[in-house]
Amino acid sequence: MTSVEARPRPVLRFVRRLLVGVLLMGALVVGGTGFRVWQVARVDDRATADVVLVLGAAQYAGTPSDVLEARLRHAKNLYDEGVAEHILTTGGNQPGDTYTEAEAGANWLTANGVPKKAVLGVGEGNDTLGSLRAASKAAAERGWHTAVIVSDPWHSLRARTMAEDVGFEAWTSPTHSGPIVQTRQTQIRYILYETAALLYYRMTNASADQIGITEDVGADK
C-alpha cells in the first residue's frame, strides 16, 4: 500500500516544478519587456531621416490636446534642427468630430511657422497600428522610408516596433513634456500599460484595442 501511494509523488513534484518554471519565465518576459519600455523611453535619437512622424492624440474641434501639442512642439523643434525636411502627422477622428487628429496637428504646425509644403497629414487610423500603416503607405508613395517617431516616452518602443513592421526604418525622439510625463504615478501607469500592450502585439500582431486595453487620457490612438 505504501509503495502504491508513493508513486504519484514524482509526478506531482514535476508538475509543481513545471508550474514554477512557467511562472518564472512569464515574470522574466514581463519584467524584461517593462525594462525595455523604460529603457527606450530614455533614448532621444535625432538621426537624419526622411520624415518626422508625429503619432496622433486627442483634439477638440481642431485644437490639439495638451498631449498632442507637446508632440507637435517637439516635432517642430526636430524640423528646425534639420532632422528631416518633412513632418507627417497621423490620426483619424472619432464619430462626430469635424477634424482628424492629423488635420489638427498639421494646422498647428503651419500656424506655428512650419511651411505648408513641409507638412503632410494622414488622417486614417484609430490606433497606433492603423495610423502607422496609413502613414507607411503615404510615405512610400513619396519615397520616404526612414522616420523619427515622436510620441510619449513610454510609447516609444511599441511605436518603433510597429513602425518597423509596417516598413519604416525608424528611430524615436520622445517628448519630455505634457501631462503624461509630469508625475511618477502617471509614468508607472503608462509603463505598465505599454508593457501589456507590447506583449499583446508581439503575440498577435494586433492592436491592444482588440481586447479592450484602451489608450486613454488623450494619448496615442
Side-chain angles (χ1 to χ4, degrees), residues 59-95:
Q59 58 80 31
Y60 307 104
T63 300
S65 63
D66 291 343
V67 172
L68 181 54
E69 185 172 338
R71 297 179 188 181
L72 296 166
R73 288 188 184 280
H74 188 65
K76 181 180 182 300
N77 289 339
L78 295 177
Y79 172 83
D80 291 341
E81 291 176 11
V83 170
E85 295 182 358
H86 300 90
I87 302 176
L88 191 158
T89 60
T90 67
N93 57 1
Q94 300 300 316

Side-chain angles (χ1 to χ4, degrees), residues 22-159:
V22 169
L23 290 173
L24 286 174
M25 286 297 295
L28 287 171
V29 169
V30 173
T33 302
F35 175 77
R36 285 291 291 154
V37 168
W38 173 83
Q39 187 180 48
V40 173
R42 300 165 63 87
V43 175
D44 187 351
D45 194 338
R46 302 187 178 207
T48 302
D50 295 325
V51 64
V52 173
L53 194 157
V54 186
L55 286 170
Q59 58 80 31
Y60 307 104
T63 300
S65 63
D66 291 343
V67 172
L68 181 54
E69 185 172 338
R71 297 179 188 181
L72 296 166
R73 288 188 184 280
H74 188 65
K76 181 180 182 300
N77 289 339
L78 295 177
Y79 172 83
D80 291 341
E81 291 176 11
V83 170
E85 295 182 358
H86 300 90
I87 302 176
L88 191 158
T89 60
T90 67
N93 57 1
Q94 300 300 316
D97 285 351
T98 304
Y99 294 86
T100 65
E101 294 166 2
E103 287 174 321
N107 291 342
W108 186 96
L109 289 167
T110 55
N112 283 273
V114 180
K116 192 170 184 179
K117 64 180 181 180
V119 179
L120 174 66
V122 180
E124 300 176 40
N126 289 312
D127 56 30
T128 302
L129 185 58
S131 294
L132 285 170
R133 282 173 173 161
S136 177
K137 181 179 177 181
E141 290 171 352
R142 293 161 176 79
W144 304 340
H145 303 288
T146 58
V148 172
I149 297 174
V150 174
S151 188
D152 308 307
W154 329 114
H155 189 222
S156 292
L157 178 58
R158 183 162 62 99

Side-chain angles (χ1 to χ4, degrees), residues 1 9 13 26 48 62 67 80 105 140 160 169 172 196 199 221:
M1 179 67 72
R9 291 178 182 175
R13 283 198 297 269
T48 302
V67 172
D80 291 341
R160 187 184 73 188
E169 184 178 354
T172 58
L199 286 170
K221 299 295 182 184

